[in-house]
Protein backbone atom coordinates (compact mmCIF):
# COMPACT_ATOMS: atom_id res chain seq x y z
CA UNK A 1 0.00 0.00 0.00
CA UNK A 2 2.82 2.38 0.92
CA UNK A 3 4.59 1.50 -2.31
CA UNK A 4 1.45 2.32 -4.29
CA UNK A 5 1.02 5.63 -2.51
CA UNK A 6 4.70 6.44 -3.11
CA UNK A 7 4.42 5.74 -6.83
CA UNK A 8 1.26 7.78 -6.99
CA UNK A 9 3.05 10.65 -5.27
CA UNK A 10 5.97 10.45 -7.70
CA UNK A 11 3.59 10.34 -10.66
CA UNK A 12 1.74 13.37 -9.33
CA UNK A 13 5.06 15.18 -8.86
CA UNK A 14 6.13 14.40 -12.44
CA UNK A 15 2.72 15.41 -13.78
CA UNK A 16 3.08 18.77 -12.03
CA UNK A 17 6.39 19.31 -13.85
CA UNK A 18 5.03 18.11 -17.21
CA UNK A 19 5.01 21.60 -18.78
CA UNK A 20 8.70 22.00 -17.90
CA UNK A 21 9.52 18.54 -19.26
CA UNK A 22 7.77 19.40 -22.52
CA UNK A 23 9.57 22.75 -22.64
CA UNK A 24 13.02 21.21 -22.13
CA UNK A 25 12.24 18.39 -24.54
CA UNK A 26 11.26 20.94 -27.17
CA UNK A 27 14.52 22.84 -26.69
CA UNK A 28 16.61 19.66 -26.97
CA UNK A 29 14.66 18.47 -30.00
CA UNK A 30 14.89 21.90 -31.61
CA UNK A 31 18.67 22.06 -31.13
CA UNK A 32 19.07 18.53 -32.50
CA UNK A 33 16.94 19.37 -35.53
CA UNK A 34 18.79 22.64 -36.09
CA UNK A 35 22.14 20.81 -36.18
CA UNK A 36 20.76 18.12 -38.49
CA UNK A 37 19.28 20.73 -40.82
CA UNK A 38 22.59 22.63 -40.78
CA UNK A 39 24.59 19.55 -41.77
CA UNK A 40 22.13 18.74 -44.58
CA UNK A 41 22.30 22.33 -45.83
CA UNK A 42 26.11 22.33 -45.85
CA UNK A 43 26.20 18.91 -47.52
CA UNK A 44 24.02 19.99 -50.43
CA UNK A 45 24.82 23.66 -50.89
CA UNK A 46 27.56 26.21 -50.41
CA UNK A 47 25.03 28.60 -48.91
CA UNK A 48 25.61 29.19 -45.21
CA UNK A 49 22.87 29.17 -42.57
CA UNK A 50 22.48 30.90 -39.22
CA UNK A 51 24.41 28.22 -37.30
CA UNK A 52 27.37 28.46 -39.67
CA UNK A 53 27.39 32.26 -39.46
CA UNK A 54 27.40 32.21 -35.66
CA UNK A 55 29.98 29.43 -35.36
CA UNK A 56 32.27 31.06 -37.93
CA UNK A 57 32.26 34.30 -35.93
CA UNK A 58 33.15 32.32 -32.81
CA UNK A 59 35.99 30.67 -34.76
CA UNK A 60 37.24 34.12 -35.79
CA UNK A 61 37.19 35.14 -32.13
CA UNK A 62 39.26 32.09 -31.20
CA UNK A 63 41.87 32.98 -33.82
CA UNK A 64 42.08 36.53 -32.49
CA UNK A 65 42.41 35.24 -28.91
CA UNK A 66 45.22 32.94 -30.05
CA UNK A 67 46.90 35.74 -31.97
CA UNK A 68 49.17 35.57 -35.05
CA UNK A 69 51.45 32.60 -35.61
CA UNK A 70 54.91 32.64 -37.11
CA UNK A 71 55.01 30.96 -40.56
CA UNK A 72 57.44 28.20 -41.45
CA UNK A 73 59.78 30.61 -43.21
CA UNK A 74 59.62 28.44 -46.35
CA UNK A 75 56.99 30.58 -48.09
CA UNK A 76 57.33 34.28 -48.90
CA UNK A 77 55.68 37.00 -50.98
CA UNK A 78 57.28 38.35 -54.16
CA UNK A 79 55.60 41.73 -53.96
CA UNK A 80 54.67 44.09 -56.76
CA UNK A 81 55.05 46.87 -54.22
CA UNK A 82 55.33 50.64 -54.27
CA UNK A 83 59.07 50.37 -54.81
CA UNK A 84 58.52 48.23 -57.92
CA UNK A 85 55.98 50.63 -59.39
CA UNK A 86 58.29 53.57 -58.68
CA UNK A 87 61.28 51.87 -60.31
CA UNK A 88 59.51 50.23 -63.26
CA UNK A 89 57.04 52.97 -64.15
CA UNK A 90 53.28 53.02 -64.53
CA UNK A 91 51.30 49.85 -63.82
CA UNK A 92 51.03 47.51 -65.63
CA UNK A 93 54.72 47.72 -66.44
CA UNK A 94 56.72 45.84 -69.07
CA UNK A 95 56.95 42.06 -68.69
CA UNK A 96 60.67 42.21 -69.37
CA UNK A 97 61.11 42.93 -65.66
CA UNK A 98 59.61 39.56 -64.72
CA UNK A 99 61.99 37.59 -66.91
CA UNK A 100 65.17 39.03 -65.45
CA UNK A 101 63.77 38.86 -61.91
CA UNK A 102 62.97 35.15 -62.32
CA UNK A 103 66.52 34.40 -63.50
CA UNK A 104 68.05 36.21 -60.53
CA UNK A 105 65.75 34.45 -58.06
CA UNK A 106 66.74 31.09 -59.53
CA UNK A 107 70.40 31.99 -59.00
CA UNK A 108 69.63 32.92 -55.38
CA UNK A 109 68.26 29.41 -54.75
CA UNK A 110 64.52 30.11 -54.75
CA UNK A 111 62.71 26.80 -55.30
CA UNK A 112 59.47 27.91 -56.99
CA UNK A 113 57.62 31.09 -57.87
CA UNK A 114 53.82 30.92 -58.09
CA UNK A 115 51.92 33.68 -59.89
CA UNK A 116 48.73 34.99 -58.30
CA UNK A 117 48.13 36.77 -61.60
CA UNK A 118 47.43 36.06 -65.24
CA UNK A 119 48.72 37.69 -68.40
CA UNK A 120 45.75 37.06 -70.67
CA UNK A 121 46.65 39.41 -73.55
CA UNK A 122 49.87 40.03 -75.46
CA UNK A 123 51.84 42.99 -74.27
CA UNK A 124 51.80 46.02 -76.53
CA UNK A 125 55.29 46.92 -77.68
CA UNK A 126 56.35 50.25 -76.22
CA UNK A 127 58.56 52.93 -77.68
CA UNK A 128 61.17 52.23 -75.00
CA UNK A 129 61.36 48.62 -76.24
CA UNK A 130 62.49 49.65 -79.75
CA UNK A 131 64.17 52.98 -79.02
CA UNK A 132 67.64 51.52 -79.47
CA UNK A 133 66.78 49.91 -82.82
CA UNK A 134 65.17 53.11 -84.07
CA UNK A 135 68.35 55.00 -83.18
CA UNK A 136 70.45 52.41 -85.02
CA UNK A 137 68.19 52.55 -88.07
CA UNK A 138 68.44 56.34 -88.15
CA UNK A 139 72.23 56.19 -87.93
CA UNK A 140 72.42 53.67 -90.80
CA UNK A 141 70.25 55.91 -92.98
CA UNK A 142 72.49 58.91 -92.26
CA UNK A 143 75.54 56.83 -93.18
CA UNK A 144 73.84 55.74 -96.39
CA UNK A 145 73.63 52.08 -95.45
CA UNK A 146 70.01 51.53 -96.44
CA UNK A 147 70.26 47.72 -96.37
CA UNK A 148 71.34 47.77 -92.70
CA UNK A 149 68.63 50.31 -91.93
CA UNK A 150 65.98 48.06 -93.50
CA UNK A 151 67.25 45.14 -91.41
CA UNK A 152 66.70 47.17 -88.25
CA UNK A 153 63.22 48.17 -89.44
CA UNK A 154 62.28 44.53 -90.04
CA UNK A 155 63.44 43.71 -86.53
CA UNK A 156 61.29 46.55 -85.21
CA UNK A 157 58.32 45.17 -87.16
CA UNK A 158 58.83 41.75 -85.57
CA UNK A 159 58.94 43.35 -82.12
CA UNK A 160 55.56 44.94 -82.81
CA UNK A 161 54.15 41.49 -83.59
CA UNK A 162 55.63 39.89 -80.45
CA UNK A 163 56.81 42.32 -77.80
CA UNK A 164 60.33 41.90 -76.42
CA UNK A 165 58.75 41.89 -72.95
CA UNK A 166 56.61 38.82 -73.74
CA UNK A 167 59.44 37.07 -75.53
CA UNK A 168 61.92 37.65 -72.70
CA UNK A 169 59.36 36.61 -70.09
CA UNK A 170 58.52 33.40 -71.97
CA UNK A 171 62.19 32.49 -72.45
CA UNK A 172 62.82 33.00 -68.73
CA UNK A 173 59.84 30.79 -67.79
CA UNK A 174 61.16 28.00 -69.98
CA UNK A 175 64.78 28.40 -68.88
CA UNK A 176 64.32 28.55 -65.08
CA UNK A 177 61.59 25.85 -65.04
CA UNK A 178 60.41 26.74 -61.53
CA UNK A 179 57.47 29.00 -62.39
CA UNK A 180 53.84 28.11 -61.60
CA UNK A 181 51.57 30.14 -63.87
CA UNK A 182 48.15 30.98 -62.51
CA UNK A 183 44.77 30.95 -64.23
CA UNK A 184 41.25 31.68 -63.01
CA UNK A 185 37.99 29.92 -63.71
CA UNK A 186 34.36 30.94 -64.00
CA UNK A 187 32.00 29.37 -61.48
CA UNK A 188 28.66 29.63 -63.35
CA UNK A 189 27.28 29.68 -66.92
CA UNK A 190 26.17 33.28 -66.43
CA UNK A 191 29.64 34.36 -65.32
CA UNK A 192 31.39 32.78 -68.30
CA UNK A 193 28.86 34.20 -70.78
CA UNK A 194 29.25 37.68 -69.31
CA UNK A 195 33.06 37.58 -69.52
CA UNK A 196 33.68 35.53 -72.68
CA UNK A 197 30.40 35.46 -74.61
CA UNK A 198 28.29 32.64 -75.97
CA UNK A 199 30.95 31.04 -78.20
CA UNK A 200 31.68 27.87 -76.22
CA UNK A 201 34.79 27.15 -78.28
CA UNK A 202 36.47 29.99 -76.38
CA UNK A 203 35.56 28.75 -72.90
CA UNK A 204 38.61 26.50 -72.43
CA UNK A 205 41.25 27.99 -74.74
CA UNK A 206 44.73 26.53 -74.18
CA UNK A 207 43.44 23.90 -71.75
CA UNK A 208 45.58 21.31 -73.50
CA UNK A 209 48.67 23.22 -72.29
CA UNK A 210 47.41 23.31 -68.70
CA UNK A 211 46.59 19.60 -68.52
CA UNK A 212 50.23 18.82 -67.73
CA UNK A 213 49.40 19.84 -64.12
CA UNK A 214 46.23 17.72 -63.82
CA UNK A 215 46.17 15.57 -60.68
CA UNK A 216 45.90 11.82 -60.27
CA UNK A 217 42.63 10.76 -58.65
CA UNK A 218 41.33 7.52 -57.15
CA UNK A 219 37.61 7.48 -58.03
CA UNK A 220 35.06 4.73 -57.19
CA UNK A 221 34.35 2.57 -60.22
CA UNK A 222 31.59 3.86 -62.49
CA UNK A 223 31.68 7.45 -61.18
CA UNK A 224 32.87 10.56 -63.04
CA UNK A 225 33.53 14.16 -62.06
CA UNK A 226 30.61 15.50 -64.10
CA UNK A 227 27.98 12.87 -63.24
CA UNK A 228 28.56 12.71 -59.49
CA UNK A 229 30.21 14.72 -56.69
CA UNK A 230 27.89 17.77 -56.70
CA UNK A 231 30.02 19.62 -54.15
CA UNK A 232 33.20 19.33 -56.25
CA UNK A 233 33.59 22.75 -57.82
CA UNK A 234 33.19 22.80 -61.59
CA UNK A 235 34.68 25.34 -63.97
CA UNK A 236 32.42 26.58 -66.75
CA UNK A 237 35.28 28.34 -68.49
CA UNK A 238 38.72 29.76 -67.81
CA UNK A 239 41.05 32.62 -68.50
CA UNK A 240 44.71 31.66 -68.67
CA UNK A 241 47.85 33.30 -69.92
CA UNK A 242 48.81 34.49 -73.36
CA UNK A 243 49.58 31.32 -75.45
CA UNK A 244 53.27 32.23 -75.79
CA UNK A 245 53.60 32.10 -71.99
CA UNK A 246 51.51 28.93 -71.59
CA UNK A 247 53.66 27.19 -74.17
CA UNK A 248 56.79 28.07 -72.18
CA UNK A 249 55.34 26.95 -68.84
CA UNK A 250 55.30 23.48 -67.33
CA UNK A 251 53.37 24.14 -64.08
CA UNK A 252 49.86 25.59 -63.79
CA UNK A 253 47.33 26.17 -61.00
CA UNK A 254 44.06 28.02 -60.56
CA UNK A 255 43.45 30.78 -58.07
CA UNK A 256 40.19 32.31 -56.96
CA UNK A 257 38.07 33.64 -54.15
CA UNK A 258 36.31 31.34 -51.65
CA UNK A 259 34.90 34.02 -49.39
CA UNK A 260 31.97 33.32 -47.09
CA UNK A 261 28.86 35.51 -47.14
CA UNK A 262 30.61 38.05 -44.90
CA UNK A 263 33.50 38.31 -47.44
CA UNK A 264 36.01 36.60 -45.10
CA UNK A 265 38.16 33.81 -46.54
CA UNK A 266 38.02 30.85 -44.16
CA UNK A 267 38.02 27.99 -46.67
CA UNK A 268 40.07 27.52 -49.84
CA UNK A 269 39.16 25.10 -52.63
CA UNK A 270 42.17 22.86 -53.31
CA UNK A 271 40.95 20.99 -56.42
CA UNK A 272 38.53 21.80 -59.21
CA UNK A 273 36.93 19.96 -62.12
CA UNK A 274 38.12 21.79 -65.24
CA UNK A 275 36.51 20.08 -68.24
CA UNK A 276 37.19 16.60 -66.85
CA UNK A 277 40.63 17.47 -65.47
CA UNK A 278 41.22 17.70 -61.73
CA UNK A 279 43.36 20.83 -61.40
CA UNK A 280 45.21 22.02 -58.27
CA UNK A 281 44.88 25.37 -56.55
CA UNK A 282 47.83 27.74 -56.41
CA UNK A 283 48.48 27.09 -52.70
CA UNK A 284 48.35 23.31 -53.14
CA UNK A 285 50.58 23.36 -56.23
CA UNK A 286 53.20 25.60 -54.60
CA UNK A 287 53.32 23.38 -51.50
CA UNK A 288 53.59 20.20 -53.60
CA UNK A 289 56.42 21.50 -55.80
CA UNK A 290 58.22 23.01 -52.83
CA UNK A 291 58.15 19.59 -51.16
CA UNK A 292 59.03 17.80 -54.42
CA UNK A 293 55.82 15.82 -54.10
CA UNK A 294 53.06 14.48 -56.33
CA UNK A 295 49.45 15.09 -55.36
CA UNK A 296 46.91 12.26 -55.21
CA UNK A 297 43.21 12.86 -54.61
CA UNK A 298 41.04 10.14 -53.09
CA UNK A 299 37.28 10.09 -53.66
CA UNK A 300 34.45 8.24 -51.95
CA UNK A 301 30.77 8.18 -53.00
CA UNK A 302 30.28 11.70 -51.60
CA UNK A 303 33.27 13.46 -53.15
CA UNK A 304 36.83 14.27 -52.13
CA UNK A 305 37.71 12.17 -49.09
CA UNK A 306 41.38 13.10 -48.73
CA UNK A 307 44.29 14.70 -50.55
CA UNK A 308 47.80 13.33 -50.10
CA UNK A 309 51.24 14.55 -51.11
CA UNK A 310 53.77 11.78 -51.83
CA UNK A 311 57.46 12.64 -52.06
CA UNK A 312 58.81 11.81 -55.52
CA UNK A 313 61.95 10.16 -54.19
CA UNK A 314 60.54 8.57 -51.05
CA UNK A 315 56.85 7.58 -51.03
CA UNK A 316 57.00 6.89 -47.31
CA UNK A 317 57.32 10.64 -46.84
CA UNK A 318 53.68 11.65 -47.27
CA UNK A 319 51.40 14.41 -46.03
CA UNK A 320 47.64 13.86 -45.76
CA UNK A 321 45.60 17.02 -46.11
CA UNK A 322 42.25 16.98 -44.29
CA UNK A 323 39.49 18.56 -46.34
CA UNK A 324 35.87 19.44 -45.56
CA UNK A 325 33.55 16.54 -44.65
CA UNK A 326 31.17 17.14 -47.55
CA UNK A 327 33.42 16.18 -50.46
CA UNK A 328 34.11 19.66 -51.86
CA UNK A 329 37.89 19.35 -51.45
CA UNK A 330 38.18 22.53 -49.39
CA UNK A 331 40.79 23.32 -46.76
CA UNK A 332 39.93 25.18 -43.56
CA UNK A 333 42.79 27.67 -43.40
CA UNK A 334 44.84 28.22 -40.27
CA UNK A 335 45.56 31.87 -40.96
CA UNK A 336 48.93 33.12 -39.75
CA UNK A 337 47.91 36.68 -38.99
CA UNK A 338 47.13 40.08 -40.49
CA UNK A 339 48.81 41.74 -43.47
CA UNK A 340 52.57 41.09 -43.82
CA UNK A 341 52.32 37.89 -41.84
CA UNK A 342 54.66 36.54 -44.52
CA UNK A 343 57.93 38.25 -45.41
CA UNK A 344 57.65 40.45 -48.50
CA UNK A 345 60.45 40.64 -51.06
CA UNK A 346 60.22 43.41 -53.63
CA UNK A 347 60.08 42.35 -57.30
CA UNK A 348 62.24 45.36 -58.13
CA UNK A 349 65.00 44.12 -55.80
CA UNK A 350 64.89 40.79 -57.63
CA UNK A 351 65.27 42.59 -60.97
CA UNK A 352 68.10 44.88 -59.87
CA UNK A 353 69.80 42.36 -57.58
CA UNK A 354 69.59 44.69 -54.57
CA UNK A 355 68.47 42.26 -51.86
CA UNK A 356 70.36 42.56 -48.58
CA UNK A 357 72.69 39.82 -47.37
CA UNK A 358 70.03 38.73 -44.86
CA UNK A 359 67.35 38.55 -47.57
CA UNK A 360 69.62 36.52 -49.85
CA UNK A 361 70.16 34.02 -47.05
CA UNK A 362 66.41 33.80 -46.37
CA UNK A 363 65.54 33.28 -50.03
CA UNK A 364 67.71 30.21 -50.46
CA UNK A 365 65.41 27.21 -50.36
CA UNK A 366 62.26 29.34 -50.14
CA UNK A 367 59.26 29.37 -52.50
CA UNK A 368 57.52 32.64 -53.34
CA UNK A 369 54.08 33.73 -54.42
CA UNK A 370 53.95 36.78 -56.64
CA UNK A 371 51.11 39.23 -56.13
CA UNK A 372 50.26 42.90 -56.08
CA UNK A 373 50.62 44.85 -52.83
CA UNK A 374 50.97 48.41 -54.18
CA UNK A 375 47.92 50.64 -54.50
CA UNK A 376 46.19 49.88 -57.80
CA UNK A 377 47.71 46.40 -58.09
CA UNK A 378 46.13 44.85 -54.99
CA UNK A 379 43.60 42.04 -54.80
CA UNK A 380 42.11 42.50 -51.33
CA UNK A 381 40.76 39.29 -49.74
CA UNK A 382 39.99 39.71 -46.01
CA UNK A 383 40.87 36.99 -43.54
CA UNK A 384 39.91 36.55 -39.88
CA UNK A 385 42.68 38.89 -38.71
CA UNK A 386 42.59 41.68 -41.27
CA UNK A 387 39.80 43.19 -43.43
CA UNK A 388 42.35 44.62 -45.86
CA UNK A 389 44.89 41.85 -46.45
CA UNK A 390 46.45 41.21 -49.86
CA UNK A 391 44.85 38.16 -51.46
CA UNK A 392 48.21 36.59 -52.24
CA UNK A 393 48.82 36.14 -48.50
CA UNK A 394 45.81 33.83 -48.26
CA UNK A 395 47.36 31.57 -50.93
CA UNK A 396 50.63 31.73 -49.00
CA UNK A 397 48.81 30.63 -45.83
CA UNK A 398 47.43 27.56 -47.63
CA UNK A 399 50.88 26.52 -48.86
CA UNK A 400 52.38 27.16 -45.43
CA UNK A 401 49.62 25.14 -43.73
CA UNK A 402 50.25 22.14 -45.96
CA UNK A 403 54.03 22.30 -45.54
CA UNK A 404 53.75 22.40 -41.75
CA UNK A 405 50.66 20.16 -41.63
CA UNK A 406 48.83 22.41 -39.16
CA UNK A 407 45.73 23.29 -41.19
CA UNK A 408 42.38 23.39 -39.38
CA UNK A 409 40.01 20.40 -39.54
CA UNK A 410 36.24 20.08 -39.49
CA UNK A 411 35.42 16.35 -39.50
CA UNK A 412 32.30 14.17 -39.61
CA UNK A 413 33.39 12.43 -36.40
CA UNK A 414 33.38 15.78 -34.61
CA UNK A 415 29.92 16.54 -36.02
CA UNK A 416 28.74 13.19 -34.63
CA UNK A 417 30.09 14.16 -31.21
CA UNK A 418 28.17 17.45 -31.36
CA UNK A 419 24.93 15.63 -32.19
CA UNK A 420 25.35 13.23 -29.26
CA UNK A 421 26.38 16.05 -26.96
CA UNK A 422 23.08 17.84 -27.55
CA UNK A 423 21.16 14.73 -26.38
CA UNK A 424 23.45 14.02 -23.41
CA UNK A 425 23.27 17.61 -22.19
CA UNK A 426 19.49 17.51 -22.46
CA UNK A 427 19.26 14.32 -20.39
CA UNK A 428 21.61 15.72 -17.74
CA UNK A 429 20.50 19.34 -17.45
CA UNK A 430 16.74 18.90 -17.91
CA UNK A 431 16.21 17.19 -14.50
CA UNK A 432 18.66 19.61 -12.90
CA UNK A 433 16.95 22.80 -14.06
CA UNK A 434 13.43 21.36 -13.52
CA UNK A 435 13.81 19.97 -9.98
CA UNK A 436 16.90 21.81 -8.79
CA UNK A 437 16.97 25.28 -7.30
CA UNK A 438 17.79 28.24 -9.52
CA UNK A 439 21.02 28.82 -7.61
CA UNK A 440 22.29 25.25 -8.08
CA UNK A 441 21.22 24.92 -11.71
CA UNK A 442 22.61 28.37 -12.53
CA UNK A 443 25.95 27.45 -10.99
CA UNK A 444 25.97 24.20 -13.00
CA UNK A 445 25.28 26.08 -16.24
CA UNK A 446 28.11 28.55 -15.64
CA UNK A 447 30.45 25.72 -14.67
CA UNK A 448 29.58 23.80 -17.83
CA UNK A 449 30.05 26.81 -20.13
CA UNK A 450 33.46 27.57 -18.64
CA UNK A 451 34.51 23.92 -18.77
CA UNK A 452 33.23 23.44 -22.33
CA UNK A 453 35.10 26.50 -23.56
CA UNK A 454 38.28 25.37 -21.81
CA UNK A 455 37.93 21.82 -23.20
CA UNK A 456 37.38 23.15 -26.71
CA UNK A 457 40.30 25.56 -26.45
CA UNK A 458 42.87 23.09 -25.12
CA UNK A 459 41.69 19.82 -26.61
CA UNK A 460 40.08 20.76 -29.93
CA UNK A 461 41.04 24.22 -31.17
CA UNK A 462 44.68 24.09 -30.07
CA UNK A 463 44.99 20.80 -31.98
CA UNK A 464 43.49 22.25 -35.15
CA UNK A 465 39.87 21.08 -34.79
CA UNK A 466 36.91 23.37 -35.34
CA UNK A 467 34.17 22.28 -32.94
CA UNK A 468 30.79 23.94 -32.65
CA UNK A 469 30.07 25.40 -29.23
CA UNK A 470 27.14 27.75 -29.89
CA UNK A 471 24.34 25.15 -30.13
CA UNK A 472 25.20 23.16 -26.95
CA UNK A 473 25.74 26.43 -25.07
CA UNK A 474 22.44 27.85 -26.30
CA UNK A 475 20.67 24.62 -25.36
CA UNK A 476 21.52 24.67 -21.66
CA UNK A 477 21.16 28.47 -21.35
CA UNK A 478 17.71 28.27 -22.98
CA UNK A 479 16.64 25.45 -20.65
CA UNK A 480 17.85 27.35 -17.58
CA UNK A 481 16.27 30.68 -18.55
CA UNK A 482 12.90 29.27 -19.64
CA UNK A 483 12.49 26.93 -16.63
CA UNK A 484 13.53 29.64 -14.19
CA UNK A 485 11.07 32.08 -15.73
CA UNK A 486 8.31 29.46 -15.69
CA UNK A 487 8.99 28.65 -12.04
CA UNK A 488 8.93 32.32 -11.13
CA UNK A 489 5.60 32.89 -12.88
CA UNK A 490 3.92 29.78 -11.41
CA UNK A 491 5.26 30.39 -7.90
CA UNK A 492 3.99 33.98 -7.99
CA UNK A 493 0.61 32.67 -9.12
CA UNK A 494 0.55 30.16 -6.26
CA UNK A 495 1.50 32.85 -3.74
CA UNK A 496 -1.35 35.05 -4.93
CA UNK A 497 -3.76 32.12 -4.69
CA UNK A 498 -2.69 31.33 -1.12
CA UNK A 499 -2.88 34.98 -0.15
CA UNK A 500 -6.37 35.25 -1.63
CA UNK A 501 -7.52 32.15 0.26
CA UNK A 502 -6.27 33.45 3.60
CA UNK A 503 -7.96 36.81 3.06
CA UNK A 504 -11.31 35.05 3.53
CA UNK A 505 -10.35 33.93 7.05
CA UNK A 506 -7.98 36.59 8.37
CA UNK A 507 -8.29 40.34 8.72
Amino acid sequence: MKKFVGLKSVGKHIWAKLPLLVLCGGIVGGCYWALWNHYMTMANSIESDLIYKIESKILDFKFKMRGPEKPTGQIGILAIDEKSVTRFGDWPFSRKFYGRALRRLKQLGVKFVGFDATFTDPQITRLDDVKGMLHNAKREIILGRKRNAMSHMRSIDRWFQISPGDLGFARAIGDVGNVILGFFTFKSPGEVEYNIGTDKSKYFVDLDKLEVSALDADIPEGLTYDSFFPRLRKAYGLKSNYPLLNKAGSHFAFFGNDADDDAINRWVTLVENVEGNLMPSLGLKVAAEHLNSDVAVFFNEIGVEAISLFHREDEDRAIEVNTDPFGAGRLLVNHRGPSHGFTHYSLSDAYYGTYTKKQRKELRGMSLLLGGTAAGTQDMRPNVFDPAIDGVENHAAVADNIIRGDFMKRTLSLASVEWKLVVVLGLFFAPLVIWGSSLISGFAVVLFLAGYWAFDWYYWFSKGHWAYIAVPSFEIIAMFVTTTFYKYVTEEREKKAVKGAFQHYLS
Side-chain angles (χ1 to χ4, degrees):
M1 186 66 179
K2 288 182 179 179
K3 185 176 181 181
F4 176 75
V5 171
L7 289 173
K8 187 176 180 180
S9 176
V10 170
K12 187 177 179 180
H13 194 58
I14 292 176
W15 180 259
K17 299 294 185 180
L18 184 61
L20 289 177
L21 286 168
V22 172
L23 191 63
C24 288
I27 292 172
V28 174
C31 290
Y32 190 88
W33 176 86
L35 270 181
W36 179 85
N37 185 65
H38 162 73
Y39 294 135
M40 293 303 102
T41 299
M42 296 299 292
N44 296 295
S45 172
I46 60 172
E47 298 297 325
S48 58
D49 60 1
L50 181 61
I51 290 179
Y52 179 83
K53 290 175 181 177
I54 294 172
E55 292 290 355
S56 62
K57 291 299 182 183
I58 295 174
L59 178 65
D60 296 348
F61 178 71
K62 293 177 191 176
F63 274 118
K64 290 172 184 175
M65 279 189 63
R66 184 205 69 187
E69 283 188 338
K70 189 175 180 180
T72 61
Q74 299 182 58
I75 298 293
I77 306 299
L78 184 59
I80 303 173
D81 55 1
E82 301 291 352
K83 184 194 292 187
S84 301
V85 174
T86 301
R87 285 179 167 182
F88 297 157
D90 293 336
W91 172 261
F93 38 70
S94 175
R95 293 173 192 169
K96 67 182 182 182
F97 297 112
Y98 296 107
R100 184 173 174 183
L102 289 173
R103 294 181 187 278
R104 287 189 180 275
L105 289 170
K106 180 74 171 181
Q107 293 170 357
L108 289 173
V110 170
K111 283 188 174 182
F112 271 84
V113 179
F115 276 70
D116 182 23
T118 55
F119 305 90
T120 56
D121 299 311
Q123 179 178 291
I124 298 174
T125 301
R126 306 183 181 195
L127 182 60
D128 287 345
D129 295 327
V130 296
K131 187 184 292 185
M133 284 183 283
L134 283 172
H135 177 75
N136 292 336
K138 179 181 178 181
R139 183 188 61 192
E140 295 298 326
I141 291 172
I142 293 172
L143 295 175
R145 297 197 288 257
K146 293 184 178 180
R147 182 176 294 179
N148 291 344
M150 288 302 298
S151 176
H152 286 298
M153 294 305 294
R154 284 192 293 270
S155 296
I156 291 171
D157 184 59
R158 285 195 298 272
W159 283 133
F160 275 101
Q161 293 177 32
I162 300 178
S163 74
D166 275 338
L167 193 59
F169 188 19
R171 285 174 176 169
I173 291 170
D175 290 345
V176 300
N178 68 342
V179 176
I180 300 169
L181 292 174
F183 65 91
F184 64 89
T185 57
F186 300 106
K187 312 302 184 296
S188 69
E191 187 181 5
V192 71
E193 285 183 14
Y194 179 81
N195 287 276
I196 298 180
T198 57
D199 186 355
K200 294 185 178 181
S201 66
K202 297 180 180 179
Y203 286 2
F204 293 98
V205 174
D206 253 15
L207 178 58
D208 58 325
K209 302 290 193 307
L210 313 183
E211 289 174 353
V212 66
S213 290
L215 304 176
D216 292 328
D218 183 15
I219 306 177
E221 189 175 352
L223 304 185
T224 63
Y225 298 138
D226 293 322
S227 302
F228 294 89
F229 317 126
R231 290 300 307 276
L232 178 65
R233 197 164 75 183
K234 178 181 178 180
Y236 290 86
L238 62 84
K239 274 284 187 181
S240 64
N241 298 278
Y242 178 46
L244 180 69
L245 304 181
N246 279 341
K247 187 177 179 180
S250 54
H251 302 280
F252 304 91
F254 70 85
F255 57 85
N257 183 28
D258 287 272
D260 286 341
D261 293 341
D262 58 2
I264 294 178
N265 286 261
R266 298 182 181 90
W267 298 85
V268 169
T269 299
L270 295 182
V271 293
E272 185 173 356
N273 173 18
V274 183
E275 198 71 352
N277 298 279
L278 198 62
M279 300 299 293
S281 72
L282 183 60
L284 175 61
K285 181 67 173 175
V286 169
E289 296 303 331
H290 180 85
L291 296 170
N292 190 28
S293 298
D294 290 319
V295 180
V297 184
F298 299 91
F299 283 77
N300 56 22
E301 287 73 15
I302 298 174
V304 177
E305 183 178 21
I307 297 175
S308 297
L309 280 66
F310 296 97
H311 196 275
R312 292 178 179 128
E313 297 175 3
D314 183 3
E315 287 192 0
D316 291 334
R317 292 167 57 186
I319 295 175
E320 184 172 335
V321 181
N322 292 85
T323 54
D324 70 285
F326 305 113
R330 300 199 303 165
L331 176 77
L332 184 58
V333 184
N334 182 2
H335 289 285
R336 299 306 188 203
S339 184
H340 282 74
F342 292 86
T343 305
H344 286 214
Y345 301 91
S346 175
L347 178 66
S348 66
D349 285 331
Y351 178 81
Y352 289 106
T354 51
Y355 286 126
T356 65
K357 186 176 181 180
K358 179 186 175 185
Q359 288 174 321
R360 290 169 180 267
K361 185 177 180 180
E362 291 172 346
L363 285 167
R364 182 165 296 279
M366 181 181 280
S367 288
L368 303 175
L369 285 113
L370 178 139
T373 63
T377 69
Q378 294 166 296
D379 175 34
M380 309 303 291
R381 304 292 184 188
N383 70 10
V384 299
F385 288 99
D386 195 336
I389 193 171
D390 298 316
V392 67
E393 295 215 33
N394 289 327
H395 298 301
V398 173
D400 204 61
N401 282 185
I402 295 172
I403 289 170
R404 183 181 279 171
D406 66 345
F407 34 77
M408 297 296 293
K409 296 173 280 291
R410 174 79 186 142
T411 62
L412 282 176
S413 59
L414 195 55
S416 178
V417 169
E418 292 160 0
W419 252 332
K420 294 171 184 174
L421 186 61
V422 166
V423 177
V424 170
L425 288 176
L427 293 174
F428 177 78
F429 273 96
L432 183 63
V433 297
I434 292 172
W435 282 283
S437 68
S438 297
L439 181 63
I440 293 174
S441 57
F443 178 75
V445 168
V446 172
L447 187 65
F448 169 78
L449 292 175
Y452 190 34
W453 177 273
F455 183 86
D456 171 61
W457 182 265
Y458 292 105
Y459 187 76
W460 282 328
F461 180 73
S462 64
K463 295 181 180 180
H465 292 276
W466 180 18
Y468 286 0
I469 65 173
V471 175
S473 300
F474 170 80
E475 179 188 26
I476 63 169
I477 291 173
M479 283 196 295
F480 171 73
V481 171
T482 54
T483 54
T484 301
F485 179 74
Y486 180 85
K487 287 178 182 179
Y488 173 78
V489 171
T490 54
E491 285 174 5
E492 284 296 311
R493 190 186 304 137
E494 289 173 359
K495 286 179 182 178
K496 288 180 180 179
V498 170
K499 185 177 180 181
F502 271 95
Q503 282 178 346
H504 292 289
Y505 304 102
L506 299 174
S507 171

